[in-house]
Amino acid sequence: MKIDIDLKEKSYSVFIDELAKISLPGKVAIITNPKVSGLWLSYLLERLECEQKFIITIPDGEEYKNLSSVEQILEQLFSSKLDRKSTLIALGGGVISDITGFCASIYERGINFINIPTTLLAQVDASVGGKTGVNNRFGKNLIGSFYQPRAVYCESKFLSTLPAREFGAGVAEAVKMAVTFDKELFEYFCEHDLKSDSEVAHIIAKCVEIKAGVVARDERENGVRAVLNYGHTFAHVIENLTNYSVYLHGEAVAIGMVMANDLAVRLGKLSANEAEKIRAVLAKFGLPLSYKIQSVDKFYEMFYLDKKSASGKIKFIMPKGIGDFFVSDDIDENLVKSTLRAFQ
Ligand code: NAD
Ligand code: GLY
């Protein structure tokens, strides 16, 4: 299956379960980590035809998504004499695709890159849409660029080796898109366990279609793309308060969606019954649903660290029923604090 991302001269396709052969001109550098390379590098190498192949491995983990890894990658690209006809391939999860895309965007002012995402989260979200970047001590993804890949290859078989928790984290990001954009997809999550490759391929395709539509309308997040951050306003505070060491990002997003739903119910945009349905789907995939807030005032203050907060206003993204959304940066502080108190 092939889904096109329509971005005029930057358009490209996302191929789902179609990685038979990739032929590329010039040199190719594959950026990966030791875990993914041990599992899936040979699979890729058997299918890749090009002039010369280089493998660049960075250590596994979000803590290596930084400028020091970028330096190391660039160093190896220059030593291997890659030029503007060369291509980078990201083989790994969202950490690898974000860092590879960023390196591609700055190496000799920009060379081609291809994403081959190996986690569900990266297949449904991170590998598509061209947000690239790394973290620094001031926060996550604060250094980066919008730079689109030339193609994306999602293989559902890669997920056969993915730990269950990582799979659940990907489901959370997929449910996020269903709740805000696609009621039918949400029902699919209610009715299926995602135990078969065909079920998983179905949800990857649906999420990529949603993301393709959003990115085509708003590549640089001036409007509708912000909706992909449903649950994230709360999740970022939870991740920050727990030092990024308790929850996977998708798990924090699951809790964040439950909190955002509570607020939406208070505002009359979501029924208690709909909120419960969303909760039940997240629970079915083993996601955490609650976080004990110690200080409501501190939690509230930390919303202001969010990249989406501007001019002293906090932007909340919430479902409007299931399959639609509403965004507001004008919600009464007391109402938000009532939601936070419900999680004390
Ligand atoms: P990750 O890249 O850290 O991968 C999670 C773990 O799974 C790692 O240990 C990895 O080595 C391992 N792994 C990867 N593929 C595997 C496989 N097939 N089998 C077994 N293990 C495998 O994390 P992630 O959840 O994929 O991505 C999170 C990152 O993505 C964050 O840095 C986040 O900021 C970024 N992100 C970016 C976007 C975007 O639009 N650019 C969107 C969402 C998230
Ligand atoms: N993951 C959010 C976005 O791509 O905009």
Side-chain angles (χ1 to χ4, degrees):
M1 187 187 309
K2 174 169 92 70
I3 295 161
D4 297 323
I5 314 287
D6 182 8
L7 284 167
K8 304 212 165 64
E9 70 286 354
K10 292 180 288 181
S11 296
Y12 56 97
S13 297
V14 179
F15 300 92
I16 299 169
D17 288 342
E18 300 226 351
L19 179 48
K21 192 198 269 189
I22 308 181
S23 296
L24 293 168
K27 298 178 180 181
V28 171
I30 299 168
I31 322 289
T32 186
N33 72 35
K35 191 187 287 175
V36 176
S37 111
L39 293 165
W40 295 106
L41 181 61
S42 58
Y43 181 90
L44 171 59
L45 290 175
E46 280 161 20
R47 289 159 178 78
L48 176 63
E49 276 179 7
C50 60
E51 190 185 296
Q52 215 179 344
K53 301 171 193 173
F54 301 90
I55 317 297
I56 300 177
T57 308
I58 59 167
D60 189 9
E62 183 75 34
E63 64 272 35
Y64 296 100
K65 190 176 139 180
N66 57 27
L67 284 175
S68 158
S69 297
V70 170
E71 273 283 348
Q72 286 170 38
I73 292 168
L74 295 178
E75 184 77 26
Q76 293 189 59
L77 298 179
F78 285 114
S79 312
S80 312
K81 298 193 171 48
L82 267 78
D83 58 27
R84 285 217 175 127
K85 289 204 186 84
S86 308
T87 300
L88 304 191
I89 294 183
L91 179 70
V95 166
I96 293 289
S97 54
D98 277 11
I99 199 166
T100 302
F102 183 58
C103 289
S105 76
I106 58 174
Y107 185 77
E108 296 191 350
R109 295 211 174 88
I111 61 169
N112 289 340
F113 86 107
I114 289 175
N115 272 330
I116 306 192
T118 60
T119 63
L120 181 60
L121 185 142
Q123 294 183 347
V124 298
D125 195 349
S127 65
V128 178
K131 276 190 184 174
T132 83
V134 295
N135 311 324
N136 70 1
R137 73 185 177 85
F138 293 96
K140 274 193 69 177
N141 300 325
L142 292 181
I143 301 166
S145 55
F146 285 95
Y147 193 71
Q148 301 295 336
R150 302 297 292 190
V152 180
Y153 291 87
C154 298
E155 294 288 287
S156 52
K157 63 165 65 66
F158 288 154
L159 307 179
S160 61
T161 56
L162 196 65
R165 248 187 103 188
E166 296 288 353
F167 186 83
V171 170
E173 296 279 13
V175 169
K176 162 195 91 176
M177 293 192 222
V179 170
T180 43
F181 289 103
D182 188 338
K183 190 169 189 308
E184 213 175 290
L185 178 59
F186 180 78
E187 294 301 335
Y188 193 89
F189 281 108
C190 298
E191 288 156 17
H192 296 81
D193 289 337
L194 308 186
K195 295 279 184 228
S196 71
D197 280 1
S198 64
E199 287 177 346
V200 174
H202 177 79
I203 63 127
I204 295 168
K206 287 291 166 191
C207 289
V208 171
E209 272 170 16
I210 292 169
K211 192 148 184 193
V214 169
V215 171
R217 274 197 282 164
D218 178 25
E219 185 190 4
R220 299 181 78 94
E221 199 169 307
N222 294 314
V224 69
R225 189 162 181 173
V227 176
L228 297 174
N229 293 313
Y230 161 47
H232 288 59
T233 310
F234 295 91
H236 287 153
V237 177
I238 295 169
E239 287 180 291
N240 201 315
L241 284 170
T242 53
N243 233 346
Y244 296 90
S245 60
V246 176
Y247 302 107
L248 298 176
H249 173 66
E251 293 175 333
V253 169
I255 302 170
M257 287 192 280
V258 173
M259 291 180 169
N261 293 353
D262 182 284
L263 191 54
V265 171
R266 285 171 202 275
L267 286 162
K269 303 283 186 186
L270 187 73
S271 71
N273 189 34
E274 287 166 328
E276 186 44 44
K277 266 184 103 174
I278 299 169
R279 202 184 160 84
V281 162
L282 296 171
K284 180 167 101 170
F285 291 99
L287 286 154
L289 303 174
S290 65
Y291 168 78
K292 196 163 170 43
I293 295 177
Q294 303 294 336
S295 160
V296 163
D297 288 340
K298 183 174 177 197
F299 199 102
Y300 190 86
E301 277 310 304
M302 289 180 72
F303 283 136
Y304 290 104
L305 301 175
D306 196 286
K307 281 207 288 301
K308 292 180 299 308
S309 312
S311 314
K313 293 188 165 207
I314 307 160
K315 191 182 275 182
F316 290 99
I317 294 121
M318 285 160 282
K320 189 163 87 187
I322 292 180
D324 200 358
F325 60 83
F326 83 105
V327 180
S328 174
D329 63 1
D330 197 21
I331 295 182
D332 180 59
E333 179 176 335
N334 288 325
L335 197 69
V336 176
K337 287 189 170 172
S338 305
T339 283
L340 298 181
R341 273 192 288 278
F343 290 85
Q344 273 195 306

